[in-house]
Amino acid sequence: MKTSGRRTTEGIKGIKQKKEKLKSFLKEKGLKSTRQRDLVVSEFLEMGEHVTAEELYKEISKKYSDIGFTTVYRTLKLLNKSGLAAERVFADNLTRYEPLSAEDHHDHLICMKCGSITEFQDLRIERLQERVADEFGFVAVSHKMELYGYCKKCKDNA
Amino acid sequence: MKTSGRRTTEGIKGIKQKKEKLKSFLKEKGLKSTRQRDLVVSEFLEMGEHVTAEELYKEISKKYSDIGFTTVYRTLKLLNKSGLAAERVFADNLTRYEPLSAEDHHDHLICMKCGSITEFQDLRIERLQERVADEFGFVAVSHKMELYGYCKKCKDNA
DNA sequence: AGGAAATTGAAATTCATTTTCAATTAGACA
DNA sequence: TGTCTAATTGAAAATGAATTTCAATTTCCT
C-alpha cells in the first residue's frame, strides 16, 4: 500500500537544507535576504503543514509585532516560486502552504468535522491516473486528489 | 478501464427528468417556481458543463435582458442544494456548476493550455481510494481528483 | 560610505461571491 | 376571481481573501 501518515515536524536537517536552497534561489534571482524574510521562513518551516498566510501571520505576530501580513504573504509566494512550498486550496477555499521537498508528492484526507488534514501517497493510484490520462491522449503534469469524510477520531465520537 | 469522455449535451429526457425533480424539490420546500428560475434552469441544463455563474448569466443576458446576475447565481445555488448540480472549483479558483444525476460521479482532466475539461471515471481508482481511507480509519464521503496537464490537441500542436 | 535596487508594511484595490432591501410576483385559500 | 402572505427579484452594497500600490526603509554591491 505504501501510504504515509501526517508528517512529523520538519527535521532540523531538512530545515537547514531548505534555508540553503532558498538562499541560492535568492542569489540567483538577485533578491535580498532580510530579517523579516528569514523569520517568516523559519516560522513556516517549523510550524508544519497546511497553514494559511493569515494563520502564519497571526503566529508570527505574537513574537514579532513588526512583521506585516503582506510580508508573510509575499514570503509564502516566494517560497512557492522557489519550489520550497506548495500552494493548496481545499474545500474551504483558503490558500494553504506546506513545506515541499523535491520528490515529495502526496494527497490528502480531509475531515469534514474537525478539519484535520492527513497526507497519504499511493503509487498504485498514481499509476492508474497515468493510464487514464494516456487513454485520453492527455499528458498529466500534476494532480490533485482529496478524500473528504470523517477521520477516525470524529467517526468514533459520533 | 471504464472511462467515459466528455458528456454530450444533456438528452431531452434527462432535462425533463431534472425539471421534474426540481419541481418536487421546490414544492417540498415551499418554494415558488418563477419565469426567471425556469429560464435559468433550462439554459443551464442545455448549456452543458462546468459553467460559472458569470458565464451562464452572460449567455442568458443575450436572450433575456431582464434576468439579473443575482438570480442566475441564486438559481445555481438552488440547483446545487436540490442535488441537481455540482459545484466545483478547479485551479482557476472560479466556482463552476454542472448538471448532476444521482449516481453520476466523475473526475476531471484539465488542460493547462486551452482550459478544456474532460471527465472520466475509473472504478479501480475509486476502490483504491476506499482502501487508503480504510487504512487510516477514515470514512470517505466524497472525493475530488483532478489531473492537470496537456490535452491531446494542445500536446500535439506543441 | 554611496547608491541603485529590492523590500517592507499600511493602506488601497481587485474581484468573485454573498447579502441586503425595497419592490414585485407566485400561488394558497377563501 | 380577489386577497394576502411569503417567496422572489435585481440593483446595489457588503464581504473577504488575494493582490497591488507607494513612500519609506533596508540590503548589499562597489
Side-chain angles (χ1 to χ4, degrees), chain B residues 7-42:
Chain B
R7 270 187 304 198
T8 50
T9 307
E10 202 80 22
I12 302 243
K13 200 179 61 184
I15 292 184
K16 281 214 174 136
Q17 229 167 44
K18 279 171 191 160
K19 286 188 182 169
E20 277 312 311
K21 191 170 170 192
L22 178 63
K23 203 174 277 180
S24 319
F25 182 82
L26 293 179
K27 188 160 278 178
E28 180 194 327
K29 300 276 180 187
L31 304 177
K32 292 167 182 172
S33 98
T34 65
R35 185 184 67 90
Q36 291 96 323
R37 209 108 103 172
D38 293 351
L39 284 170
V40 172
V41 171
S42 293

mmCIF file of all heavy atoms in Angstrom, chain B residues 7-42:
data_model
loop_
_atom_site.group_PDB
_atom_site.id
_atom_site.type_symbol
_atom_site.label_atom_id
_atom_site.label_comp_id
_atom_site.label_asym_id
_atom_site.label_seq_id
_atom_site.Cartn_x
_atom_site.Cartn_y
_atom_site.Cartn_z
ATOM 1 N N ARG B 7 -19.222 14.377 -21.624
ATOM 2 C CA ARG B 7 -20.606 14.040 -21.884
ATOM 3 C C ARG B 7 -21.141 14.885 -23.010
ATOM 4 O O ARG B 7 -20.797 16.045 -23.156
ATOM 5 C CB ARG B 7 -21.459 14.312 -20.652
ATOM 6 C CG ARG B 7 -21.530 13.113 -19.753
ATOM 7 C CD ARG B 7 -22.509 13.384 -18.667
ATOM 8 N NE ARG B 7 -22.132 14.614 -17.967
ATOM 9 C CZ ARG B 7 -22.605 14.906 -16.768
ATOM 10 N NH1 ARG B 7 -23.411 14.103 -16.153
ATOM 11 N NH2 ARG B 7 -22.252 16.037 -16.196
ATOM 12 N N THR B 8 -22.023 14.283 -23.772
ATOM 13 C CA THR B 8 -22.663 15.069 -24.820
ATOM 14 C C THR B 8 -23.742 15.879 -24.135
ATOM 15 O O THR B 8 -24.061 15.661 -22.981
ATOM 16 C CB THR B 8 -23.306 14.152 -25.863
ATOM 17 O OG1 THR B 8 -24.103 13.203 -25.176
ATOM 18 C CG2 THR B 8 -22.241 13.428 -26.641
ATOM 19 N N THR B 9 -24.324 16.802 -24.901
ATOM 20 C CA THR B 9 -25.349 17.633 -24.316
ATOM 21 C C THR B 9 -26.444 16.759 -23.721
ATOM 22 O O THR B 9 -26.810 15.734 -24.288
ATOM 23 C CB THR B 9 -25.922 18.593 -25.360
ATOM 24 O OG1 THR B 9 -24.838 19.279 -25.948
ATOM 25 C CG2 THR B 9 -26.862 19.577 -24.720
ATOM 26 N N GLU B 10 -26.877 17.160 -22.608
ATOM 27 C CA GLU B 10 -27.975 16.527 -21.871
ATOM 28 C C GLU B 10 -29.098 16.110 -22.826
ATOM 29 O O GLU B 10 -29.583 16.919 -23.608
ATOM 30 C CB GLU B 10 -28.507 17.620 -20.946
ATOM 31 C CG GLU B 10 -29.256 17.154 -19.774
ATOM 32 C CD GLU B 10 -28.283 16.698 -18.691
ATOM 33 O OE1 GLU B 10 -27.106 17.112 -18.693
ATOM 34 O OE2 GLU B 10 -28.734 15.921 -17.865
ATOM 35 N N GLY B 11 -29.536 14.863 -22.732
ATOM 36 C CA GLY B 11 -30.659 14.440 -23.564
ATOM 37 C C GLY B 11 -31.933 15.111 -23.113
ATOM 38 O O GLY B 11 -32.048 15.512 -21.965
ATOM 39 N N ILE B 12 -32.868 15.228 -24.035
ATOM 40 C CA ILE B 12 -34.145 15.865 -23.704
ATOM 41 C C ILE B 12 -34.794 15.170 -22.522
ATOM 42 O O ILE B 12 -35.338 15.800 -21.624
ATOM 43 C CB ILE B 12 -35.132 15.801 -24.896
ATOM 44 C CG1 ILE B 12 -34.525 16.460 -26.109
ATOM 45 C CG2 ILE B 12 -36.478 16.398 -24.497
ATOM 46 C CD1 ILE B 12 -35.231 17.655 -26.600
ATOM 47 N N LYS B 13 -34.712 13.858 -22.529
ATOM 48 C CA LYS B 13 -35.325 13.087 -21.462
ATOM 49 C C LYS B 13 -34.736 13.503 -20.110
ATOM 50 O O LYS B 13 -35.468 13.824 -19.182
ATOM 51 C CB LYS B 13 -35.067 11.604 -21.700
ATOM 52 C CG LYS B 13 -36.014 10.695 -20.953
ATOM 53 C CD LYS B 13 -35.708 9.232 -21.253
ATOM 54 C CE LYS B 13 -34.314 8.859 -20.825
ATOM 55 N NZ LYS B 13 -33.938 7.492 -21.179
ATOM 56 N N GLY B 14 -33.400 13.513 -20.065
ATOM 57 C CA GLY B 14 -32.721 13.880 -18.822
ATOM 58 C C GLY B 14 -33.133 15.255 -18.346
ATOM 59 O O GLY B 14 -33.342 15.461 -17.153
ATOM 60 N N ILE B 15 -33.253 16.159 -19.276
ATOM 61 C CA ILE B 15 -33.632 17.518 -18.902
ATOM 62 C C ILE B 15 -35.012 17.545 -18.265
ATOM 63 O O ILE B 15 -35.214 18.121 -17.205
ATOM 64 C CB ILE B 15 -33.582 18.463 -20.128
ATOM 65 C CG1 ILE B 15 -32.124 18.637 -20.560
ATOM 66 C CG2 ILE B 15 -34.209 19.800 -19.790
ATOM 67 C CD1 ILE B 15 -31.923 19.619 -21.682
ATOM 68 N N LYS B 16 -35.950 16.881 -18.932
ATOM 69 C CA LYS B 16 -37.311 16.861 -18.386
ATOM 70 C C LYS B 16 -37.320 16.257 -17.002
ATOM 71 O O LYS B 16 -37.962 16.773 -16.084
ATOM 72 C CB LYS B 16 -38.240 16.065 -19.314
ATOM 73 C CG LYS B 16 -38.680 16.877 -20.521
ATOM 74 C CD LYS B 16 -40.105 16.517 -20.945
ATOM 75 C CE LYS B 16 -40.583 17.443 -22.056
ATOM 76 N NZ LYS B 16 -41.280 16.716 -23.138
ATOM 77 N N GLN B 17 -36.579 15.173 -16.884
ATOM 78 C CA GLN B 17 -36.490 14.493 -15.591
ATOM 79 C C GLN B 17 -36.003 15.439 -14.506
ATOM 80 O O GLN B 17 -36.537 15.491 -13.417
ATOM 81 C CB GLN B 17 -35.484 13.357 -15.717
ATOM 82 C CG GLN B 17 -35.958 12.032 -15.199
ATOM 83 C CD GLN B 17 -35.007 10.926 -15.665
ATOM 84 O OE1 GLN B 17 -33.786 11.089 -15.605
ATOM 85 N NE2 GLN B 17 -35.570 9.828 -16.129
ATOM 86 N N LYS B 18 -34.976 16.193 -14.858
ATOM 87 C CA LYS B 18 -34.402 17.097 -13.868
ATOM 88 C C LYS B 18 -35.351 18.213 -13.509
ATOM 89 O O LYS B 18 -35.439 18.613 -12.344
ATOM 90 C CB LYS B 18 -33.078 17.654 -14.383
ATOM 91 C CG LYS B 18 -31.972 16.648 -14.161
ATOM 92 C CD LYS B 18 -30.691 17.007 -14.829
ATOM 93 C CE LYS B 18 -29.755 15.808 -14.762
ATOM 94 N NZ LYS B 18 -28.699 15.879 -15.750
ATOM 95 N N LYS B 19 -36.057 18.703 -14.512
ATOM 96 C CA LYS B 19 -37.002 19.776 -14.218
ATOM 97 C C LYS B 19 -38.093 19.261 -13.284
ATOM 98 O O LYS B 19 -38.532 19.978 -12.383
ATOM 99 C CB LYS B 19 -37.596 20.313 -15.512
ATOM 100 C CG LYS B 19 -36.602 21.160 -16.285
ATOM 101 C CD LYS B 19 -37.236 21.854 -17.475
ATOM 102 C CE LYS B 19 -36.197 22.652 -18.242
ATOM 103 N NZ LYS B 19 -36.729 23.125 -19.547
ATOM 104 N N GLU B 20 -38.474 18.006 -13.497
ATOM 105 C CA GLU B 20 -39.465 17.408 -12.607
ATOM 106 C C GLU B 20 -38.922 17.340 -11.188
ATOM 107 O O GLU B 20 -39.589 17.706 -10.231
ATOM 108 C CB GLU B 20 -39.818 15.986 -13.081
ATOM 109 C CG GLU B 20 -40.855 15.954 -14.189
ATOM 110 C CD GLU B 20 -42.053 16.840 -13.883
ATOM 111 O OE1 GLU B 20 -42.599 16.748 -12.769
ATOM 112 O OE2 GLU B 20 -42.457 17.651 -14.759
ATOM 113 N N LYS B 21 -37.695 16.891 -11.093
ATOM 114 C CA LYS B 21 -37.091 16.732 -9.779
ATOM 115 C C LYS B 21 -37.007 18.078 -9.060
ATOM 116 O O LYS B 21 -37.258 18.172 -7.866
ATOM 117 C CB LYS B 21 -35.691 16.127 -9.932
ATOM 118 C CG LYS B 21 -35.103 15.683 -8.613
ATOM 119 C CD LYS B 21 -33.826 14.876 -8.799
ATOM 120 C CE LYS B 21 -33.131 14.650 -7.463
ATOM 121 N NZ LYS B 21 -31.763 14.114 -7.614
ATOM 122 N N LEU B 22 -36.679 19.095 -9.830
ATOM 123 C CA LEU B 22 -36.611 20.421 -9.232
ATOM 124 C C LEU B 22 -37.977 20.848 -8.741
ATOM 125 O O LEU B 22 -38.124 21.393 -7.644
ATOM 126 C CB LEU B 22 -36.075 21.432 -10.253
ATOM 127 C CG LEU B 22 -36.005 22.858 -9.720
ATOM 128 C CD1 LEU B 22 -35.036 22.958 -8.559
ATOM 129 C CD2 LEU B 22 -35.592 23.826 -10.823
ATOM 130 N N LYS B 23 -38.970 20.579 -9.564
ATOM 131 C CA LYS B 23 -40.325 20.959 -9.182
ATOM 132 C C LYS B 23 -40.704 20.322 -7.844
ATOM 133 O O LYS B 23 -41.235 20.979 -6.947
ATOM 134 C CB LYS B 23 -41.314 20.534 -10.276
ATOM 135 C CG LYS B 23 -42.600 21.339 -10.270
ATOM 136 C CD LYS B 23 -43.515 21.006 -11.448
ATOM 137 C CE LYS B 23 -43.146 21.755 -12.723
ATOM 138 N NZ LYS B 23 -44.048 21.430 -13.859
ATOM 139 N N SER B 24 -40.404 19.054 -7.694
ATOM 140 C CA SER B 24 -40.690 18.381 -6.417
ATOM 141 C C SER B 24 -39.963 19.072 -5.284
ATOM 142 O O SER B 24 -40.530 19.331 -4.222
ATOM 143 C CB SER B 24 -40.218 16.928 -6.445
ATOM 144 O OG SER B 24 -40.496 16.332 -7.675
ATOM 145 N N PHE B 25 -38.708 19.346 -5.547
ATOM 146 C CA PHE B 25 -37.888 19.976 -4.515
ATOM 147 C C PHE B 25 -38.487 21.298 -4.077
ATOM 148 O O PHE B 25 -38.602 21.602 -2.903
ATOM 149 C CB PHE B 25 -36.472 20.182 -5.046
ATOM 150 C CG PHE B 25 -35.536 20.794 -4.040
ATOM 151 C CD1 PHE B 25 -34.918 20.008 -3.087
ATOM 152 C CD2 PHE B 25 -35.273 22.157 -4.051
ATOM 153 C CE1 PHE B 25 -34.052 20.564 -2.146
ATOM 154 C CE2 PHE B 25 -34.408 22.728 -3.121
ATOM 155 C CZ PHE B 25 -33.805 21.924 -2.166
ATOM 156 N N LEU B 26 -38.897 22.087 -5.046
ATOM 157 C CA LEU B 26 -39.480 23.389 -4.747
ATOM 158 C C LEU B 26 -40.742 23.222 -3.909
ATOM 159 O O LEU B 26 -40.916 23.869 -2.874
ATOM 160 C CB LEU B 26 -39.803 24.140 -6.040
ATOM 161 C CG LEU B 26 -38.613 24.579 -6.894
ATOM 162 C CD1 LEU B 26 -39.100 25.278 -8.153
ATOM 163 C CD2 LEU B 26 -37.684 25.488 -6.108
ATOM 164 N N LYS B 27 -41.597 22.330 -4.357
ATOM 165 C CA LYS B 27 -42.852 22.130 -3.647
ATOM 166 C C LYS B 27 -42.580 21.684 -2.213
ATOM 167 O O LYS B 27 -43.093 22.237 -1.250
ATOM 168 C CB LYS B 27 -43.709 21.080 -4.376
ATOM 169 C CG LYS B 27 -45.119 20.962 -3.799
ATOM 170 C CD LYS B 27 -46.085 20.322 -4.784
ATOM 171 C CE LYS B 27 -46.618 21.329 -5.817
ATOM 172 N NZ LYS B 27 -47.522 20.701 -6.816
ATOM 173 N N GLU B 28 -41.719 20.723 -2.113
ATOM 174 C CA GLU B 28 -41.361 20.175 -0.804
ATOM 175 C C GLU B 28 -40.881 21.254 0.157
ATOM 176 O O GLU B 28 -41.148 21.218 1.350
ATOM 177 C CB GLU B 28 -40.278 19.122 -1.029
ATOM 178 C CG GLU B 28 -39.756 18.432 0.215
ATOM 179 C CD GLU B 28 -38.471 17.675 -0.110
ATOM 180 O OE1 GLU B 28 -38.355 17.166 -1.257
ATOM 181 O OE2 GLU B 28 -37.595 17.628 0.754
ATOM 182 N N LYS B 29 -40.157 22.211 -0.375
ATOM 183 C CA LYS B 29 -39.577 23.251 0.471
ATOM 184 C C LYS B 29 -40.444 24.500 0.551
ATOM 185 O O LYS B 29 -40.053 25.503 1.141
ATOM 186 C CB LYS B 29 -38.204 23.654 -0.063
ATOM 187 C CG LYS B 29 -37.190 22.522 -0.117
ATOM 188 C CD LYS B 29 -36.507 22.346 1.224
ATOM 189 C CE LYS B 29 -35.496 21.196 1.159
ATOM 190 N NZ LYS B 29 -34.936 20.893 2.480
ATOM 191 N N GLY B 30 -41.581 24.463 -0.102
ATOM 192 C CA GLY B 30 -42.443 25.631 -0.099
ATOM 193 C C GLY B 30 -41.893 26.787 -0.919
ATOM 194 O O GLY B 30 -42.182 27.951 -0.643
ATOM 195 N N LEU B 31 -41.101 26.442 -1.929
ATOM 196 C CA LEU B 31 -40.534 27.498 -2.774
ATOM 197 C C LEU B 31 -41.381 27.652 -4.032
ATOM 198 O O LEU B 31 -42.182 26.785 -4.366
ATOM 199 C CB LEU B 31 -39.089 27.151 -3.133
ATOM 200 C CG LEU B 31 -38.175 26.910 -1.919
ATOM 201 C CD1 LEU B 31 -36.797 26.494 -2.373
ATOM 202 C CD2 LEU B 31 -38.110 28.156 -1.057
ATOM 203 N N LYS B 32 -41.170 28.750 -4.705
ATOM 204 C CA LYS B 32 -42.017 29.023 -5.862
ATOM 205 C C LYS B 32 -41.278 28.856 -7.172
ATOM 206 O O LYS B 32 -40.061 29.037 -7.221
ATOM 207 C CB LYS B 32 -42.556 30.444 -5.751
ATOM 208 C CG LYS B 32 -43.526 30.552 -4.608
ATOM 209 C CD LYS B 32 -43.859 31.973 -4.262
ATOM 210 C CE LYS B 32 -44.808 31.979 -3.071
ATOM 211 N NZ LYS B 32 -45.029 33.320 -2.550
ATOM 212 N N SER B 33 -42.000 28.523 -8.192
ATOM 213 C CA SER B 33 -41.318 28.429 -9.479
ATOM 214 C C SER B 33 -41.677 29.667 -10.286
ATOM 215 O O SER B 33 -42.822 30.074 -10.343
ATOM 216 C CB SER B 33 -41.700 27.140 -10.196
ATOM 217 O OG SER B 33 -42.696 27.359 -11.138
ATOM 218 N N THR B 34 -40.675 30.286 -10.810
ATOM 219 C CA THR B 34 -40.880 31.558 -11.495
ATOM 220 C C THR B 34 -40.355 31.474 -12.914
ATOM 221 O O THR B 34 -39.595 30.568 -13.242
ATOM 222 C CB THR B 34 -40.105 32.670 -10.773
ATOM 223 O OG1 THR B 34 -38.720 32.382 -10.881
ATOM 224 C CG2 THR B 34 -40.487 32.752 -9.314
ATOM 225 N N ARG B 35 -40.758 32.450 -13.695
ATOM 226 C CA ARG B 35 -40.306 32.507 -15.079
ATOM 227 C C ARG B 35 -38.790 32.526 -15.115
ATOM 228 O O ARG B 35 -38.143 31.771 -15.828
ATOM 229 C CB ARG B 35 -40.862 33.772 -15.729
ATOM 230 C CG ARG B 35 -40.577 33.899 -17.214
ATOM 231 C CD ARG B 35 -41.093 35.236 -17.747
ATOM 232 N NE ARG B 35 -40.344 36.360 -17.196
ATOM 233 C CZ ARG B 35 -39.250 36.870 -17.759
ATOM 234 N NH1 ARG B 35 -38.778 36.386 -18.881
ATOM 235 N NH2 ARG B 35 -38.622 37.872 -17.194
ATOM 236 N N GLN B 36 -38.193 33.385 -14.298
ATOM 237 C CA GLN B 36 -36.736 33.513 -14.283
ATOM 238 C C GLN B 36 -36.067 32.194 -13.909
ATOM 239 O O GLN B 36 -35.132 31.745 -14.569
ATOM 240 C CB GLN B 36 -36.308 34.586 -13.294
ATOM 241 C CG GLN B 36 -36.675 35.981 -13.715
ATOM 242 C CD GLN B 36 -37.978 36.451 -13.101
ATOM 243 O OE1 GLN B 36 -38.918 35.662 -12.952
ATOM 244 N NE2 GLN B 36 -38.068 37.716 -12.747
ATOM 245 N N ARG B 37 -36.546 31.637 -12.865
ATOM 246 C CA ARG B 37 -35.988 30.373 -12.392
ATOM 247 C C ARG B 37 -36.023 29.344 -13.518
ATOM 248 O O ARG B 37 -35.013 28.693 -13.811
ATOM 249 C CB ARG B 37 -36.855 29.884 -11.229
ATOM 250 C CG ARG B 37 -36.118 29.068 -10.234
ATOM 251 C CD ARG B 37 -35.906 29.831 -8.948
ATOM 252 N NE ARG B 37 -36.831 29.402 -7.903
ATOM 253 C CZ ARG B 37 -36.735 29.828 -6.628
ATOM 254 N NH1 ARG B 37 -35.777 30.671 -6.280
ATOM 255 N NH2 ARG B 37 -37.589 29.429 -5.736
ATOM 256 N N ASP B 38 -37.171 29.229 -14.130
ATOM 257 C CA ASP B 38 -37.318 28.223 -15.177
ATOM 258 C C ASP B 38 -36.350 28.456 -16.317
ATOM 259 O O ASP B 38 -35.726 27.524 -16.828
ATOM 260 C CB ASP B 38 -38.753 28.242 -15.723
ATOM 261 C CG ASP B 38 -39.756 27.774 -14.666
ATOM 262 O OD1 ASP B 38 -39.302 27.280 -13.602
ATOM 263 O OD2 ASP B 38 -40.963 27.896 -14.899
ATOM 264 N N LEU B 39 -36.233 29.717 -16.699
ATOM 265 C CA LEU B 39 -35.345 30.028 -17.817
ATOM 266 C C LEU B 39 -33.895 29.720 -17.473
ATOM 267 O O LEU B 39 -33.171 29.135 -18.278
ATOM 268 C CB LEU B 39 -35.489 31.505 -18.200
ATOM 269 C CG LEU B 39 -36.754 31.818 -18.987
ATOM 270 C CD1 LEU B 39 -36.945 33.325 -19.121
ATOM 271 C CD2 LEU B 39 -36.676 31.179 -20.362
ATOM 272 N N VAL B 40 -33.502 30.097 -16.283
ATOM 273 C CA VAL B 40 -32.119 29.850 -15.895
ATOM 274 C C VAL B 40 -31.846 28.353 -15.879
ATOM 275 O O VAL B 40 -30.828 27.892 -16.410
ATOM 276 C CB VAL B 40 -31.805 30.453 -14.507
ATOM 277 C CG1 VAL B 40 -30.436 30.017 -14.036
ATOM 278 C CG2 VAL B 40 -31.889 31.975 -14.568
ATOM 279 N N VAL B 41 -32.762 27.608 -15.328
ATOM 280 C CA VAL B 41 -32.570 26.160 -15.264
ATOM 281 C C VAL B 41 -32.470 25.570 -16.666
ATOM 282 O O VAL B 41 -31.580 24.778 -16.955
ATOM 283 C CB VAL B 41 -33.709 25.488 -14.465
ATOM 284 C CG1 VAL B 41 -33.634 23.980 -14.586
ATOM 285 C CG2 VAL B 41 -33.648 25.910 -13.010
ATOM 286 N N SER B 42 -33.364 25.990 -17.530
ATOM 287 C CA SER B 42 -33.332 25.466 -18.895
ATOM 288 C C SER B 42 -32.009 25.751 -19.559
ATOM 289 O O SER B 42 -31.361 24.865 -20.125
ATOM 290 C CB SER B 42 -34.443 26.090 -19.733
ATOM 291 O OG SER B 42 -35.699 25.667 -19.254
#
